[in-house]
């Protein structure tokens, strides 16, 4: 009795590559046998398929998972309706009032202090730092934020930088309510850009534009200058460079790890039981994102301040960045993927993918008809 392994070896030994090569006598043969030219014909298709697999593993880092519906029967639907009434007609107005009250206190204090204490920079910065922390606390209160912080609170020290995984712009708000960080961030339009160029400038934040190549050199110089200052606010960097859906971490940019200073990792994990805190800037404005948070039951979050790290002898900045990413991913329970987050901004549109799918389907139909 022959074993399956023996049959497999025998069948392989009987294969002859010449059977698949194109010969003169086979030009007019009917298409009943797989030949090398057929394999070459489908090689572009195999390339497209491999690309689709890669693209799928990349795009799932930037997809929000919609909550599963639970109001599926006559018993639960009334409870769901009551929840909608409570969230939109009671909680949302109260949260709007809370946020408006916070802005009133902040602006009536910030504007006079910023104007009248220009000759007393140290005192002005201290008061502005407290006011920025206060308005961020009002923002968190407007979502009924439940945030638990683990580890020692960040302090102002020279030659140190904080790095964290990035899910939404609210990461900055969640961290800022505890410590007034100077963050490096993409320049935004609208009311967010107005806040960046006025209020957040007071805590030493640094802005950049991805489309401007010269900005990289300018920002790199500002980063080096900032970390050397003894009185500057702690520097916060999101080295992924884009928002990821809090299930994965993409590659860390090495800029934060080339500053020759201590790197303090911060791991942020959101509980999606009430709302998904991921901000997909391609599909949703930040205003609508805030409204989504303010009409949810609560935003639940865990923040871990991890042990500071320094680059090891013989370790490259890229290896240093990967080691810190390992720490953050392990602590927050995130999966690592080997993709550059900036590819998110250079990927083709869905219309291009649909055209490729249509072309692939048509080519398959033609080959089936020929058979």
């Amino acid at each position: 009795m022959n074993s399956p392994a023996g049959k497999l070896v025998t069948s392989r030994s009987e294969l002859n590559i010449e059977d698949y090569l194109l010969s003169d006598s086979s030009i007019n043969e009917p298409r009943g046998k797989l030949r090398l030219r057929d394999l070459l014909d489908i090689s572009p298709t195999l390339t497209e398929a491999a690309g689709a697999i890669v693209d799928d593993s990349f795009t799932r880092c930037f997809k929000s998972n919609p909550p599963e519906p639970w109001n599926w029967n006559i018993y639960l639907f009334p409870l769901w309706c009551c929840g909608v009434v409570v969230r939109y007609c009671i909680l949302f107005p109260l949260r709007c009032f809370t946020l408006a009250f916070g802005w009133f206190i902040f602006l009536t204090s910030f504007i006079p202090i910023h104007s009248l204490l220009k000759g007393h920079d140290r005192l002005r910065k201290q008061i502005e730092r407290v006011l920025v922390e206060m308005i961020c606390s009002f923002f968190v209160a407007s979502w009924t934020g439940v945030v638990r912080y683990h580890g020692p609170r960040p302090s102002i020290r020279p030659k140190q930088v904080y790095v964290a995984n990035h899910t939404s712009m609210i990461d900055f708000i969640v961290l800022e309510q505890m410590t007034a960080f100077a963050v490096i961030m993409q320049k935004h339009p609208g009311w967010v850009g107005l806040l960046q160029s006025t209020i957040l400038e007071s805590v030493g934040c640094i802005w950049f534009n991805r489309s401007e190549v010269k900005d990289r050199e300018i920002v790199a110089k500002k980063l080096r200058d900032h970390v050397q200052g003894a009185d500057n606010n702690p520097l916060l960097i999101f080295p992924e460079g884009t928002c990821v859906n809090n299930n994965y971490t993409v590659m860390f940019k090495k800029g934060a790890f080339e500053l020759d200073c201590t790197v303090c990792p911060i791991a942020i994990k959101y509980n999606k039981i009430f709302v998904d805190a991921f901000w997909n800037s391609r599909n949703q404005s930040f205003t609508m994102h805030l409204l989504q948070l303010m009409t949810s039951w609560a935003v639940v979050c865990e923040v871990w301040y991890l042990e500071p790290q320094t680059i090891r002898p013989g370790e490259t900045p890229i290896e240093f960045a990967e080691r810190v990413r390992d720490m953050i991913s392990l602590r927050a329970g995130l999966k690592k993927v080997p993709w550059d987050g900036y590819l998110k901004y250079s990927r083709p549109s869905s219309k291009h993918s649909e055209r490729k799918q249509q072309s692939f389907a048509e080519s398959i139909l033609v080959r089936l008809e020929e058979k």
Side-chain angles (χ1 to χ4, degrees):
M1 182 176 178
N2 295 330
S3 64
K7 291 182 180 179
L8 181 59
V9 172
T10 303
S11 61
R12 285 183 177 176
S13 64
E14 294 174 355
L15 292 177
N16 189 352
I17 189 62
E18 294 181 357
D19 293 338
Y20 293 92
L21 296 175
L22 182 61
S23 62
D24 295 336
S25 60
S26 64
I27 295 177
N28 298 322
E29 286 184 3
R31 290 177 176 263
K33 196 173 187 180
L34 180 65
R35 298 191 176 279
L36 182 60
R37 64 172 182 270
D38 298 314
L39 297 176
L40 295 176
D41 285 344
I42 66 171
S43 60
T45 301
L46 297 177
T47 303
E48 292 287 342
I53 294 173
V54 170
D55 186 65
D56 179 68
S57 66
F58 174 77
T59 54
R60 64 187 176 187
C61 301
F62 309 101
K63 288 183 178 178
S64 56
N65 299 320
E68 295 183 2
W70 56 270
N71 55 333
W72 48 269
N73 61 29
I74 192 64
Y75 305 106
L76 296 177
F77 185 73
L79 294 176
W80 179 81
C81 291
C82 292
V84 170
V85 171
V86 171
R87 287 189 291 116
Y88 283 86
C89 299
I90 299 177
L91 292 181
F92 181 61
L94 289 174
R95 290 167 175 174
C96 289
F97 174 78
T98 300
L99 189 58
F101 181 68
W103 273 113
F104 174 77
I105 297 176
F106 176 81
L107 293 176
T108 54
S109 303
F110 182 87
I111 295 175
I113 289 171
H114 188 73
S115 303
L116 300 177
L117 295 180
K118 286 189 175 180
H120 305 79
D121 289 345
R122 185 163 187 173
L123 176 61
R124 176 175 55 84
K125 287 182 179 180
Q126 289 177 350
I127 298 176
E128 288 177 347
R129 185 182 300 135
V130 173
L131 290 175
V132 170
E133 293 175 0
M134 182 201 69
I135 190 60
C136 289
S137 298
F138 275 101
F139 266 104
V140 175
S142 70
W143 319 321
T144 313
V146 181
V147 186
R148 292 199 300 175
Y149 298 90
H150 310 270
R153 180 172 175 172
S155 58
I156 298 177
R157 294 178 183 174
K159 301 198 69 174
Q160 70 174 6
V161 59
Y162 289 82
V163 298
N165 58 300
H166 198 22
T167 305
S168 168
M169 204 187 302
I170 71 168
D171 298 338
F172 166 72
I173 299 175
V174 168
L175 297 176
E176 196 79 2
Q177 75 162 347
M178 287 294 290
T179 303
F181 286 102
V183 69
I184 174 172
M185 188 184 297
Q186 163 75 20
K187 184 68 175 178
H188 290 273
W191 66 272
V192 177
L194 179 62
L195 295 181
Q196 287 179 322
S197 59
T198 54
I199 296 171
L200 295 182
E201 284 282 356
S202 63
V203 292
C205 294
I206 302 171
W207 318 118
F208 68 93
N209 194 335
R210 290 188 181 93
S211 61
E212 295 292 337
V213 179
K214 295 181 179 179
D215 277 9
R216 298 180 183 178
E217 299 177 1
I218 297 174
V219 168
K221 184 179 183 305
K222 287 183 177 179
L223 291 179
R224 292 188 181 92
D225 294 341
H226 187 97
V227 296
Q228 299 299 328
D231 295 329
N232 292 336
N233 290 329
L235 183 63
L236 174 64
I237 299 178
F238 298 106
E240 290 173 300
T242 186
C243 296
V244 188
N245 64 6
N246 210 227
N247 292 324
Y248 303 88
T249 56
V250 297
M251 289 173 56
F252 280 10
K253 300 292 183 296
K254 64 178 182 177
F257 305 89
E258 294 178 320
L259 298 176
D260 190 26
C261 60
T262 302
V263 175
C264 306
I266 302 176
I268 306 174
K269 181 63 176 179
Y270 292 94
N271 191 324
K272 301 180 182 179
I273 185 172
F274 296 122
V275 66
D276 188 356
F278 170 58
W279 177 41
N280 190 340
S281 58
R282 278 192 164 190
N283 300 332
Q284 189 181 46
S285 67
F286 187 63
T287 303
M288 295 305 299
H289 181 56
L290 285 180
L291 289 176
Q292 179 184 357
L293 300 180
M294 293 175 69
T295 53
S296 67
W297 287 110
V299 175
V300 182
C301 177
E302 301 272 354
V303 176
W304 292 272
Y305 298 109
L306 305 180
E307 184 179 354
Q309 302 293 313
T310 55
I311 191 167
R312 296 170 179 170
E315 190 176 39
T316 65
I318 295 177
E319 293 171 342
F320 185 23
E322 281 300 299
R323 179 161 61 86
V324 172
R325 183 162 77 115
D326 288 339
M327 293 178 60
I328 293 175
S329 301
L330 180 63
R331 177 65 273 184
L334 307 175
K335 299 177 183 177
K336 289 178 54 182
V337 292
W339 307 124
D340 186 342
Y342 275 9
L343 294 175
K344 171 184 176 181
Y345 301 98
S346 58
R347 291 176 57 249
S349 65
S350 58
K351 292 182 180 180
H352 176 75
S353 302
E354 291 172 0
R355 286 197 297 268
K356 298 291 286 185
Q357 292 171 357
Q358 181 68 24
S359 174
F360 171 65
E362 291 174 355
S363 65
I364 292 296
L365 290 175
V366 169
R367 293 192 63 81
L368 290 175
E369 291 174 357
E370 291 177 353
K371 293 293 184 182

